[in-house]
């Protein structure tokens, strides 16, 4: 056959040809055992040299993602500090002057002017890109779980997120910048390797790498981990992507993600140390949030960071933290539902007004609580000098600069104002490292006010994180417990900073329900490995307690959005269901050769992401083949597919010691054609002869010549899956042939051409139908996936779930023993609510 291809006039075993070589369709070439030339390949071949280059470029990309994420964190931190210092400097001077002149109302107006302006700007940015609201962690969690949220990783989202969180934090709202840093890192990871943006259409580079969802998802995982590393100075932020994000994890990705996290921490540490301390290369500030060094005073010989007896108190604090977190989540869920019913349907300006209302109430409460509820306490020597570790290790500001004397006489300070009129990071450090400066009443009031206002704030139309507010609220709770144990029970040996840290971990764990990653983040933020056991125990107890009542805050908001998020595993009870119980039996499918008018109709009337490619039985197929080229092509494709399968099984059986069954041997031996000796078209012989598909699973039912065509060829024989994006691309590029031509005349697109528009393929509604001939035919077989993952109708739901989750699938065809597709499973069919509904139906039918 090779000689027949190479010359213009030759004779070969099956045919004699002179002049031009006869053109055959791909289906005919498949039956004859021929292959196309290399230049006609649709799918890319494995090129090991290209693979090594691809891997090297991937390492460079993860390093660039880490560096860029660190620079984003540096930008946010620098301007938040700048705006906060400007605001608090003006307000502090005004309060000190007006305390004597009696013009405190003017000071309140100045504070309101700063806060309302910043919050208004943050709300405007959310109006430009609504997905920039909130922390972004629920959306990134959905993305890594396999669900694409529109606009979540766009450049415009990144800009609105970065500037929005900058203004919302500077505006005095009880929000943090650490959560949005995770979202920002994920956007950098998604966009940087693409070298293009829909927001900047004119800026494009010919960068052929990473044009698949899998690569993009891997880079988003790396970016999210880099955001954690930049926010907390925790390079082991890899665990966050693993625990909270990705539902399918590539082992080779672990080392790259860790390298990306290290790059982000290194970049942020290098620039922050140089900008704030002037010592470039000293690496003194690893993250945006640093808890400082926990160390007992040298003069206190009885002090210990924690003892074995304290573990009992930590367990109790974990239970209380879980209860408080469940209460926080319940209240926030009710607020979110109220917003969805009464705020979101109204004009967008209402969302801005709500954000301004929250800012107004927060500012007034902070000012009035500091003026009325704060206690003027005498400065002790420890307050004036402070912990050595605090001065040397924690921040560039010492203790005295963060203590506020609002509304108090000389030599005294206002403990409530010290917590409210400082950046949240400074307030956390006060609770961790100051000794004896906050009364129990002040801590209780601060906790109650902060709890309620933070719960109200999370969910408003501003970029907002929840980590730092939860840590601050929990630290106040822990410090309150330490004061009670010291003052009323007489346990003078306990270290207040440890209890503040455990309280922060308990409350944060009760809200977000993270364990592994949160333990590592807190340990790395404290630089104290001895805290590992108490933090882990506290987080576990807080999670178990909170899970008894509701889900974590991120899972709650994912559920409110109706996103089909897949859990880690299904319940044991779900194994009573099979794939046939949960699949969608009403299929929308395409044929291997389909007219353009049918494709356009299917694409415009459905929203499915992929379609099965099938063939079905038709009576009097010879008449159809003579009179209709379209049906002829489909029947040929179906028969060629069955012949190929039977021949492959025959070759495999010949290499075995025994056949799988006598029936299968009969099929392979009797129905695969013998090589003809005469000069006649082998293809025509194959098409005229009747071939049976694989026999069914019952040994006593062997194939029979009495079978009708309906019994031989099942109604919907499954051949593969084709994506919506591929169909639209074929239509846009005019890949089709006329009914009077062979399918071999259809233009062919390479893999690079098919992926050229990734990740935003053309939309079917933007297609100009006047440029298309509706009677033309599209051969989809070169572009479909001929071997997707499939399951049997009798497969247990747990097996379906694990296959779907671990392999990162979006569609799972259900195919019976004879190659007939009977349904399809998507994410919607595996959600918690859907499975429970089907389980109830199952019980009712028993």
């Amino acid at each position: 056959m090779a000689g027949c291809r190479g010359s213009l006039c030759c004779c070969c075993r099956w045919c004699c040809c002179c002049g031009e070589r006869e053109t055959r369709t791909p289906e005919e070439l498949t039956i004859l055992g021929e292959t196309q030339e290399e230049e006609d390949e649709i799918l890319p071949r494995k090129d090991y040299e290209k693979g090594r280059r691809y891997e090297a470029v991937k390492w460079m990309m993860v390093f660039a993602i880490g560096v860029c994420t660190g620079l984003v964190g540096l930008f946010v931190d620098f301007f938040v500090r700048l705006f906060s210092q400007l605001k608090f400097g003006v307000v502090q001077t005004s309060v000190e002057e007006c305390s004597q002149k009696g013009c405190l109302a003017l000071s309140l107006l100045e504070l309101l002017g700063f806060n309302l302006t910043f919050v208004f700007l943050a709300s405007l940015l959310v109006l430009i890109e609504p997905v920039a609201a909130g922390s972004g962690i629920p959306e990134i969690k959905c993305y890594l779980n396999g669900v694409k949220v529109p606009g979540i990783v766009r450049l415009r989202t990144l800009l609105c997120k970065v500037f929005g969180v900058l203004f919302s934090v500077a505006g005095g709202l009880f929000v943090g910048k650490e959560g949005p840093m995770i979202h920002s890192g994920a956007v950098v990871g998604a966009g940087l390797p693409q070298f293009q943006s829909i927001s900047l259409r004119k800026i494009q580079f010919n960068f052929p790498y990473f044009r698949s969802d899998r690569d993009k998802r891997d880079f988003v995982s790396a970016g999210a981990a880099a955001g954690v590393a930049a926010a907390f100075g925790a390079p082991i932020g890899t665990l966050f992507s693993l625990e909270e994000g990705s539902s399918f994890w590539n082992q080779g990705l672990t080392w790259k993600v860790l390298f990306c996290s290290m790059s982000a921490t290194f970049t942020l540490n290098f620039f922050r140390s140089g900008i704030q301390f002037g010592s470039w290369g000293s690496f003194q500030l690893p993250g945006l949030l640093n808890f400082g060094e926990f160390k007992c005073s040298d003069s206190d010989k009885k002090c210990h960071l924690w003892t074995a007896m304290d573990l009992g108190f930590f367990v109790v604090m974990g239970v209380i933290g879980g209860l408080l977190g469940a209460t926080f989540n319940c209240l926030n869920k009710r607020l979110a539902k109220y917003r969805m019913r009464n705020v979101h349907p109204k004009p967008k300006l209402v969302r801005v007004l709500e954000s301004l209302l929250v800012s107004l109430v927060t500012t007034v409460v902070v000012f009035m609580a500091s003026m009325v509820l704060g206690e003027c306490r005498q400065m002790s020597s420890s307050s004036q000098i402070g912990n050595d570790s605090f001065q040397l290790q924690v921040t560039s500001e010492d203790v005295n600069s963060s203590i506020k004397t609002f509304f108090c006489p000389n030599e005294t300070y206002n403990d409530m104002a010290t917590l409210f009129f400082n950046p949240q990071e400074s307030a956390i450090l006060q609770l961790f490292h100051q000794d004896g400066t906050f009364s129990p009443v002040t801590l209780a009031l601060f906790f109650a006010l902060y709890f309620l206002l933070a719960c109200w704030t999370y969910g408003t139309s501003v970029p907002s994180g929840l980590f730092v507010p939860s840590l601050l609220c929990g630290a106040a709770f822990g410090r309150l417990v330490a004061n009670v144990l010291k003052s009323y029970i007489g346990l003078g040996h306990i270290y207040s900073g440890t209890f503040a840290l455990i309280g922060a971990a308990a409350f944060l764990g009760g809200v977000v329900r993270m364990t592994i990653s949160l333990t590592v983040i807190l340990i790395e933020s404290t630089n104290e490995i001895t805290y590992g056991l108490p933090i882990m125990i506290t987080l576990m107890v807080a999670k178990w307690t909170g899970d008894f009542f509701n889900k974590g805050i991120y899972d709650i908001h994912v559920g409110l959005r109706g996103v089909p998020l897949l859990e880690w595993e299904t319940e044991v009870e779900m194994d009573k269901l099979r794939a046939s119980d949960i699949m969608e039996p009403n299929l929308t499918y395409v044929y291997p050769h389909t007219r353009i008018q049918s494709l356009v109709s299917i694409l415009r009337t459905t929203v499915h992401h992929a379609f099965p490619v099938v063939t079905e039985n038709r009576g009097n197929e010879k008449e159809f083949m003579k009179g209709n080229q379209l049906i002829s092509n489909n029947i040929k494709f179906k028969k060629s597919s069955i012949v190929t399968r039977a021949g492959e099984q025959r070759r495999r059986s010949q290499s075995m010691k025994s056949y799988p069954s006598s029936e299968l041997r009969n099929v392979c031996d009797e129905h695969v054609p013998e090589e003809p000796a005469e000069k006649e078209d082998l293809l025509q012989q194959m098409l005229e002869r009747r071939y049976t598909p694989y026999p069914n699973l019952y040994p006593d039912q062997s194939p029979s010549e009495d079978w009708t065509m309906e019994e031989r060829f099942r109604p919907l024989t499954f051949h593969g899956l084709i994506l919506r994006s591929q169909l639209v691309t074929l239509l846009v590029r005019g890949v089709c042939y006329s009914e009077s031509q062979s399918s071999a005349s259809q233009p062919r697109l390479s893999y690079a051409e098919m992926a050229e528009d990734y990740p935003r393929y053309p939309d079917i509604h933007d297609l100009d139908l006047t440029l298309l001939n509706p009677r033309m035919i599209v051969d989809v077989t070169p572009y479909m996936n001929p071997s997707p993952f499939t399951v049997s109708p009798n497969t247990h739901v747990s097996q379906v779930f694990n296959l779907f989750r671990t392999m990162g699938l979006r569609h799972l065809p259900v195919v019976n023993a004879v190659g007939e597709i009977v349904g399809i499973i998507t994410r919607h069919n595996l959600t918690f609510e859907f499975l429970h509904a089907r389980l109830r139906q199952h019980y009712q039918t028993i």
Side-chain angles (χ1 to χ4, degrees), residues 581-597:
D581 296 322
I582 65 172
M583 70 183 184
E584 175 56 53
N586 298 321
L587 300 173
T588 302
Y589 50 84
V590 299
Y591 298 113
H593 301 263
T594 308
R595 296 193 189 277
I596 286 181
Q597 62 181 4

Side-chain angles (χ1 to χ4, degrees), residues 520-662:
V520 174
I521 287 172
L522 293 177
I523 292 175
E524 288 190 308
S525 297
T526 59
N527 296 319
E528 185 60 58
I529 192 62
T530 59
Y531 280 138
L533 179 62
I535 290 176
M536 184 178 298
I537 291 176
T538 304
L539 288 174
M540 289 172 58
V541 173
K543 174 178 171 57
W544 291 339
T545 305
D547 285 342
F548 186 77
F549 297 96
N550 50 31
K551 294 183 178 181
I553 188 69
Y554 300 136
D555 291 324
I556 287 175
H557 280 265
V558 168
L560 291 175
R561 288 173 172 83
V563 177
L565 194 72
L566 298 185
E567 303 294 338
W568 281 105
E569 57 187 3
T570 59
E571 300 176 4
V572 178
E573 196 177 18
M574 294 301 168
D575 264 350
K576 296 179 181 179
L577 299 175
R578 299 292 190 269
S580 57
D581 296 322
I582 65 172
M583 70 183 184
E584 175 56 53
N586 298 321
L587 300 173
T588 302
Y589 50 84
V590 299
Y591 298 113
H593 301 263
T594 308
R595 296 193 189 277
I596 286 181
Q597 62 181 4
S598 299
L599 288 180
V600 172
S601 176
I602 291 172
L603 293 172
R604 289 202 166 188
T605 56
T606 64
V607 293
H608 304 309
H609 180 72
F611 303 92
V613 180
V614 302
T615 50
E616 64 180 26
N617 174 60
R618 293 180 181 273
N620 303 321
E621 66 174 35
K622 289 188 176 181
E623 281 68 19
F624 277 112
M625 291 177 65
K626 292 178 181 178
N628 192 313
Q629 178 71 21
L630 174 61
I631 298 176
S632 172
N633 286 340
N634 286 329
I635 293 176
K636 287 179 182 179
F637 179 81
K638 177 172 65 173
K639 289 191 173 183
S640 67
S641 176
I642 294 172
V643 171
T644 303
R645 288 160 50 192
E648 177 65 22
Q649 190 63 44
R650 179 173 181 267
R651 288 192 294 272
R652 292 184 181 181
S653 298
Q654 290 174 349
S655 64
M656 300 179 182
K657 294 182 180 179
S658 61
Y659 290 100
S661 67
S662 59

Side-chain angles (χ1 to χ4, degrees), residues 43 134 197 499 575 580 604 616 717 738 785 802 827:
L43 297 178
S197 171
F499 276 76
D575 264 350
S580 57
R604 289 202 166 188
E616 64 180 26
T717 304
S738 65
N785 179 7
N802 291 334
R827 282 180 162 268

Side-chain angles (χ1 to χ4, degrees), residues 474-495:
F477 156 67
R479 192 61 184 262
L480 175 61
V481 173
N483 283 12
V484 171
L485 294 178
K486 275 187 174 182
S487 304
Y488 298 99
I489 300 181
L491 299 178
H493 72 281
I494 65 174
Y495 182 63

Side-chain angles (χ1 to χ4, degrees), residues 721-733:
L721 275 179
I722 188 163
L723 302 180
R724 166 183 287 268
S725 58
Q726 293 175 313
L727 291 176
V728 176
T729 301
L730 294 177
L731 293 176
V732 169
R733 294 179 178 267

